[in-house]
C-alpha cells in the first residue's frame, strides 16, 4: 500500500483514526489495525510505553481498508504532543531563506539574487560544520563582505532555529486538505522527516510531515515567522509513526531520501527530493537543542527541515513555484510510507474545532479516563 512502509508487516506503526466514538490511537501490527485506546487512551500515552509487545486491542480493520472510502479516516498520528520545527538545517534552504530576505518576499526578484548568492556563499556554507571554528571564520568573512544574514546565523552558528510550528491537536493527517494563507502569493510545501520524542526526551520513531511555507510573508520579515508557519491546516503529519527497532533506526532517518510530487489542477507537475544525508546538523543534536532548558511532559514532534526549495517556474519565467488551490502533494519515502494532501487555503479548509478540552471530555465519556 502506498501510504504504508514497504515492509509494514515487520514494522511497529502508531497512528490515530476517527471512529464513531471519537479519535482513537491505533497500532498497526502485521495485517491488522488495532484499537489500543483501552491500554493507552492517547497517542502520547502509547508512545510512552517502553514495551509495546504486549499491547493489544480490538481489531478495527485490515490494513487494506486504510485510505479507502469504506475505511476509517486517518488523523495526524500525534495528539497531545507539541509540534516543533527546525529551520535552515540544509545549506540550500539557508541560501533560499537569504533570497527571500533580500527580495523582501517578492518572487520576481528571486532568480537574479539566487545566482549571485550561490556564486558567493554556496560552497562555503556546504563545507562548514555549524558552530565550528571554520564557521566562525566564514561568518567574519561574510560580515566583512556585507553578506551576513540572520538566516546564515542559524545555518552555520552554534544555535539551531527551533520554533513551535502548530498547537496541540491542530495538525491534519493523510488525505486531509492542507492550507496556505489566502493572502499569500509565494509559497511551497516542505517535505520533511519528523522525529517523535517521548516525555522523557527519547526519540521513539519518525513520520513524514509537510511544513507548509509562505515565502512572501517570512521574506518580508523574519518576525512574521509565526504568521507564515502557523495557520489553519498548515501542518500535515502522517500517515503513521514508525517506531525505532532493529529494522528502523536513527541511521535510517539520517539516510532517508524523501520524494515530493506535486500535481496541479492545470496539468502542472513538479518533482523534488529531500536527501537527509545533506543535513547540516545531526537529528540528535536538533532534539538536544529543542530540549535545551525546556521540558515536554507529553513529548513532542520535531520537523527536521528540508533540502527542497522549488525554483522551477510555474506560470511566469523567473518567478519560480507557488501553490494553486487543488494541487495534490505527495511526500514519500520507502520506510515511512506516503503522506498525501490536497492544497486549499487556510480560510477554506475545515476549521480546527476539536481541542484539548474536547479530547478530555471524549475520553471521560468513553470511560477511558476516571
Amino acid at each position: 500500500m502506498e501510504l504504508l512502509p514497504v515492509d509494514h508487516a515487520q514494522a511497529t506503526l502508531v497512528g490515530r483514526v476517527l471512529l464513531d466514538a471519537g479519535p482513537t490511537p491505533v497500532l498497526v501490527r502485521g495485517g491488522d489495525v488495532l484499537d489500543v485506546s483501552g491500554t493507552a487512551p492517547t497517542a502520547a500515552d502509547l508512545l510512552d510505553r517502553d514495551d509495546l509487545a504486549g499491547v493489544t486491542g480490538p481489531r478495527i480493520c485490515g490494513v487494506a481498508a486504510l485510505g479507502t472510502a469504506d475505511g476509517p479516516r486517518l488523523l495526524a498520528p500525534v495528539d497531545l504532543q507539541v509540534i516543533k520545527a527546525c529551520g535552515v538545517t540544509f545549506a540550500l534552504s539557508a541560501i533560499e531563506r537569504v533570497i527571500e530576505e533580500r527580495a523582501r518576499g517578492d518572487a520576481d526578484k528571486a532568480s537574479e539574487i539566487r545566482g549571485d548568492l550561490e556564486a558567493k556563499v554556496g560552497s562555503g556554507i556546504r563545507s562548514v560544520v555549524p558552530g565550528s571554528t571554520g564557521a566562525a571564520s566564514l561568518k567574519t568573512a561574510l560580515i566583512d563582505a556585507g553578506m551576513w544574514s540572520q538566516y546564515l546565523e542559524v545555518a552555520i552558528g552554534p544555535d539551531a532555529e527551533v520554533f513551535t510550528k502548530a498547537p496541540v491537536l491542530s495538525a491534519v493527517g493523510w488525505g486531509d486538505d492542507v492550507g496556505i494563507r489566502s493572502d499569500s502569493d509565494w509559497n511551497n510545501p516542505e517535505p520533511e522527516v519528523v522525529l517523535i520524542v517521548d516525555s522523557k526526551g527519547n526519540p521513539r520513531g519518525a513520520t513524514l510531515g509537510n511544513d507548509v511555507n509562505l515565502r512572501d510573508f517570512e521574506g518580508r520579515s523574519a518576525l512574521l515567522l509565526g504568521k507564515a508557519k502557523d495557520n489553519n491546516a498548515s501542518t500535515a503529519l502522517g500517515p503513521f509513526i514508525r517506531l525505532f527497532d532493529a529494522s528502523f533506526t536513527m541511521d535510517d532517518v539520517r539516510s532517508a531520501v524523501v520524494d515530493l510530487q506535486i500535481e496541479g489542477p492545470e496539468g502542472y507537475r513538479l518533482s523534488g527530493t529531500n536527501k537527509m544525508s545533506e543535513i547540516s546538523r545531526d537529528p540528535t543534536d536538533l532534539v538536544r537543542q529543542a530540549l535545551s532548558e525546556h521540558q515536554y511532559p507529553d513529548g513532542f514532534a520535531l520537523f527536521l527541515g528540508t533540502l527542497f526549495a522549488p525554483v522551477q517556474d510555474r506560470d511566469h519565467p523567473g518567478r519560480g513555484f507557488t501553490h494553486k488551490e487543488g494541487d495534490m502533494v505527495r511526500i514519500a519515502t520507502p520506510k515511512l510510507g506516503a503522506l498525501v494532501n490536497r492544497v486549499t487555503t487556510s480560510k477554506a479548509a475545515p476549521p480546527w474545532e476539536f481541542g484539548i478540552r474536547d479530547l478530555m471530555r471524549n475520553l471521560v465519556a468513553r470511560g477511558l479516563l476516571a
Side-chain angles (χ1 to χ4, degrees), residues 85-89 129-132 135 139 148-163 280-281 285-286 288-290 292-293:
C86 295
V88 203
T89 54
V129 176
S132 66
K139 175 179 178 178
W148 191 242
S149 163
Q150 57 200 335
Y151 291 105
L152 298 178
E153 176 64 45
V154 294
I156 66 175
D159 297 308
E161 179 188 22
V162 184
F163 58 93
S280 301
R281 300 179 190 268
D285 179 54
L286 295 175
R288 179 188 63 79
Q289 294 213 30
S292 175
E293 302 194 22

Side-chain angles (χ1 to χ4, degrees), residues 100-155:
E100 292 165 12
E101 179 184 47
R102 296 198 169 207
R104 295 292 187 268
D106 185 348
D108 292 320
K109 299 178 181 178
S111 181
E112 179 182 350
I113 297 170
R114 180 175 295 108
D116 185 50
L117 276 173
E118 179 64 36
K120 292 179 178 177
V121 306
S123 60
I125 291 177
R126 287 184 175 88
S127 63
V128 75
V129 176
S132 66
T133 302
S137 298
L138 177 60
K139 175 179 178 178
T140 299
L142 291 171
I143 290 174
D144 291 342
M147 299 193 67
W148 191 242
S149 163
Q150 57 200 335
Y151 291 105
L152 298 178
E153 176 64 45
V154 294

Side-chain angles (χ1 to χ4, degrees), residues 221-242:
S221 171
L223 297 179
L224 292 173
L225 177 67
K227 184 170 279 190
K229 288 293 189 179
D230 182 9
N231 299 290
N232 182 41
S234 66
T235 303
L237 290 169
F240 289 91
I241 297 165
R242 181 168 184 176

Side-chain angles (χ1 to χ4, degrees), residues 38 45 62 90 94 99 118 143 147 155 163 208 326 340 349 361:
D45 295 321
F90 291 78
I99 290 167
E118 179 64 36
I143 290 174
M147 299 193 67
F163 58 93
L208 293 170
V340 181
R361 289 167 181 157

Side-chain angles (χ1 to χ4, degrees), residues 44-45 48 80-82 197-201 291 294-300:
D45 295 321
D48 263 351
L80 294 180
Q81 297 93 338
V82 173
V197 182
D198 66 17
S199 65
K200 296 179 283 293
L291 288 165
H294 209 317
Q295 299 78 39
Y296 296 93
D298 298 302
F300 62 97

Side-chain angles (χ1 to χ4, degrees), residues 86 89 158 160 162 193-197 201-205 244 249-255 276 279-292 300 302-304:
C86 295
T89 54
V162 184
V193 175
V194 182
L195 284 182
I196 307 299
V197 182
N202 302 313
R204 294 294 309 278
F244 290 136
T249 69
M250 191 66 79
D251 283 339
D252 291 294
V253 169
R254 294 183 177 107
S255 63
M276 288 295 296
I279 197 168
S280 301
R281 300 179 190 268
D282 190 76
T284 56
D285 179 54
L286 295 175
V287 171
R288 179 188 63 79
Q289 294 213 30
L291 288 165
S292 175
F300 62 97
L302 184 65
F303 281 80
L304 296 179

Side-chain angles (χ1 to χ4, degrees), residues 164-211:
T164 300
K165 166 64 179 177
V168 169
L169 279 173
S170 68
V172 298
W174 183 96
D176 287 333
D177 285 351
V178 67
I180 55 173
R181 284 187 63 93
S182 59
D183 50 358
S184 169
D185 59 11
W186 189 21
N187 47 69
N188 61 265
E190 291 195 345
E192 303 189 24
V193 175
V194 182
L195 284 182
I196 307 299
V197 182
D198 66 17
S199 65
K200 296 179 283 293
N202 302 313
R204 294 294 309 278
T207 188
L208 293 170
N210 185 353
D211 177 17

